[in-house]
Amino acid sequence: MTRPRAPRQGNSNPRRSALVDAGLSLIREVALEEVDAVAVAERAGVSKALVYYYFPTHRDLQVAVVRTAADGLLEAVRTDPSQAPAEQLAAALDAGIAFIEQYPQAYRALSRGAAFSPQLLEVFEFARDGVVATLAAGLGIGHPNPAERICLRGWLALVEEAVLHWIVSGAPVPRAELVAFCRDVGLSILASPLARSATGAAAAAS
Amino acid sequence: MTRPRAPRQGNSNPRRSALVDAGLSLIREVALEEVDAVAVAERAGVSKALVYYYFPTHRDLQVAVVRTAADGLLEAVRTDPSQAPAEQLAAALDAGIAFIEQYPQAYRALSRGAAFSPQLLEVFEFARDGVVATLAAGLGIGHPNPAERICLRGWLALVEEAVLHWIVSGAPVPRAELVAFCRDVGLSILASPLARSATGAAAAAS
């Protein structure tokens, strides 16, 4: 707790970035709990001491990996505001599904493992809110009210789970059917009484 | 790894059960990672040695807590097969939401934290499949095909997230509106082209 914290800051440090990259590479194969100094040092081909210099604890390392992955997801689902809302939604959905498809084990470890620890949860909640904000902007909602937020968060969880289960189970469902399913559920949710409820609108206006 | 494993088995052992109950009580207040021998011994008013006797590692303890909570969820959503499918769905939804409402922090720790570790994930996946099987039976689907399974798993994730976000955010949405939202999304998902696709039906028949 009394160690100097300075060296750990600064995402632009290339040696630190290389360690985070090694952690991201590991998370494609193992659970988040197995991302530790020993495994990262081995993967990056550096000493454990160097890993400890930048990340005094395993949790510091795991938080950095989760944060970088979350930034990647936010970047992936960022859409072109000049497009029509429906096109933006389709583009974000396609990019989001492609992101999950690329590293399904990693995505599951992050989206369904982060609540193990308050620090990890904080990073993941921030990312989730960021995705909801991006989606809302794409849909022309701007600042979603509390009811719309519930709908969007629920939809995001459905997309994650449907895509992860599709991949992990090897279900013989064409990708296009899955994408259409996610899109249609999203559209029907946004047209639901809850999303359009006066409760939500009144709360947002207050 | 060479410790005798016998004493740890048997859910009917009252001393072991008391320790799991202490863990379940803790998980209402803290993250899963904080459920360890020290905290459980303090909560149960016993020695750390006794906790270690039944649970040699923190992870053994956490797995037992997650398993007991999962059993509780499965018990809660078990419906009456003599009821009509729609009534069973409504009853299961109501019981499931009540379960989450009772201990939202604990539920989030379990449903969004289990993938941190392969052992915890295994227990939680088993429970999730159990809930899907119960829901499918209630809906008269019996043995869901791969496409229906994707739909049901996705819906379950949506309900979890919507209810958790509703509670944690304190959104001013009446409970009845939330329940209706979850029910309607479930019904529309089951009527979706994916759930009724030939792909799923063909795969189930093979």
Side-chain angles (χ1 to χ4, degrees):
Chain A
M1 305 304 154
T2 55
R3 296 177 210 228
R5 298 183 68 88
R8 290 187 282 144
Q9 308 306 317
N11 286 315
S12 58
N13 183 311
R15 300 188 81 174
R16 184 184 184 282
S17 294
L19 300 179
V20 174
D21 286 347
L24 285 168
S25 152
L26 275 170
I27 198 80
R28 288 165 204 164
E29 299 154 28
V30 301
L32 198 48
E33 74 167 342
E34 292 170 69
V35 176
D36 60 22
V38 174
V40 164
E42 193 185 308
R43 180 62 55 107
V46 301
S47 70
K48 270 193 295 177
L50 184 71
V51 180
Y52 283 123
Y53 176 76
Y54 286 104
F55 305 102
T57 70
H58 293 343
R59 189 50 42 80
D60 293 330
L61 188 53
Q62 291 161 355
V63 165
V65 169
V66 170
R67 183 167 292 148
T68 306
D71 286 346
L73 174 62
L74 283 176
E75 191 54 45
V77 301
R78 185 157 296 135
T79 53
D80 176 0
S82 69
Q83 288 184 320
E87 284 174 34
Q88 287 191 52
L89 180 68
L93 187 57
D94 210 55
I97 292 178
F99 188 88
I100 300 175
E101 275 181 302
Q102 207 177 351
Y103 313 113
Q105 302 298 347
Y107 194 89
R108 184 164 69 168
L110 301 171
S111 78
R112 301 285 186 258
F116 183 79
S117 138
Q119 288 165 281
L120 295 170
L121 182 62
E122 191 185 335
V123 177
F124 205 80
E125 283 290 304
F126 181 80
R128 221 182 268 279
D129 284 340
V131 173
V132 165
T134 300
L135 290 170
L139 293 162
I141 295 175
H143 186 71
N145 67 43
E148 286 166 337
R149 213 176 284 270
I150 290 174
C151 294
L152 287 169
R153 293 271 306 216
W155 182 63
L156 197 59
L158 173 134
V159 172
E160 286 176 350
E161 183 72 12
V163 174
L164 283 172
H165 189 70
W166 174 64
I167 296 168
V168 173
S169 70
V173 169
R175 190 182 192 281
E177 274 188 37
L178 185 78
V179 175
F181 168 73
C182 292
R183 184 200 58 217
D184 292 348
V185 173
L187 294 174
S188 80
I189 282 175
L190 287 168
S192 69
L194 177 58
R196 320 188 119 235
S197 68
T199 311
S206 67
Chain B
M1 303 301 156
T2 55
R3 296 174 209 231
R5 298 183 67 89
R8 291 187 282 144
Q9 308 305 317
N11 286 316
S12 58
N13 182 311
R15 300 188 80 175
R16 185 185 184 281
S17 295
L19 300 179
V20 174
D21 285 347
L24 285 169
S25 152
L26 275 170
I27 199 77
R28 288 164 205 166
E29 298 154 28
V30 301
L32 198 46
E33 75 168 341
E34 293 169 68
V35 176
D36 60 22
V38 174
V40 164
E42 193 183 310
R43 180 63 55 105
V46 301
S47 70
K48 270 193 294 179
L50 184 71
V51 180
Y52 283 122
Y53 176 77
Y54 286 104
F55 305 102
T57 71
H58 293 344
R59 190 50 42 80
D60 293 330
L61 188 54
Q62 291 161 355
V63 165
V65 169
V66 170
R67 183 166 292 147
T68 306
D71 287 346
L73 175 62
L74 283 175
E75 190 54 44
V77 301
R78 186 157 294 135
T79 52
D80 176 359
S82 70
Q83 288 184 321
E87 282 173 35
Q88 286 190 53
L89 180 68
L93 188 57
D94 209 56
I97 291 178
F99 188 88
I100 300 175
E101 275 182 302
Q102 207 176 353
Y103 313 114
Q105 302 298 346
Y107 195 89
R108 183 163 70 167
L110 301 171
S111 77
R112 301 286 185 257
F116 184 78
S117 140
Q119 288 164 281
L120 295 170
L121 182 61
E122 191 185 335
V123 177
F124 205 80
E125 282 291 304
F126 181 80
R128 220 181 267 280
D129 284 341
V131 172
V132 165
T134 300
L135 290 171
L139 292 162
I141 295 175
H143 186 70
N145 67 42
E148 286 166 338
R149 213 176 284 270
I150 289 173
C151 294
L152 287 169
R153 292 271 304 219
W155 182 62
L156 197 59
L158 173 134
V159 172
E160 286 176 351
E161 183 73 13
V163 175
L164 283 173
H165 189 70
W166 174 65
I167 295 168
V168 173
S169 70
V173 169
R175 190 182 192 280
E177 273 189 37
L178 185 78
V179 174
F181 168 74
C182 292
R183 183 199 60 217
D184 292 349
V185 173
L187 294 173
S188 81
I189 281 175
L190 287 167
S192 70
L194 178 58
R196 320 188 119 235
S197 69
T199 313
S206 68

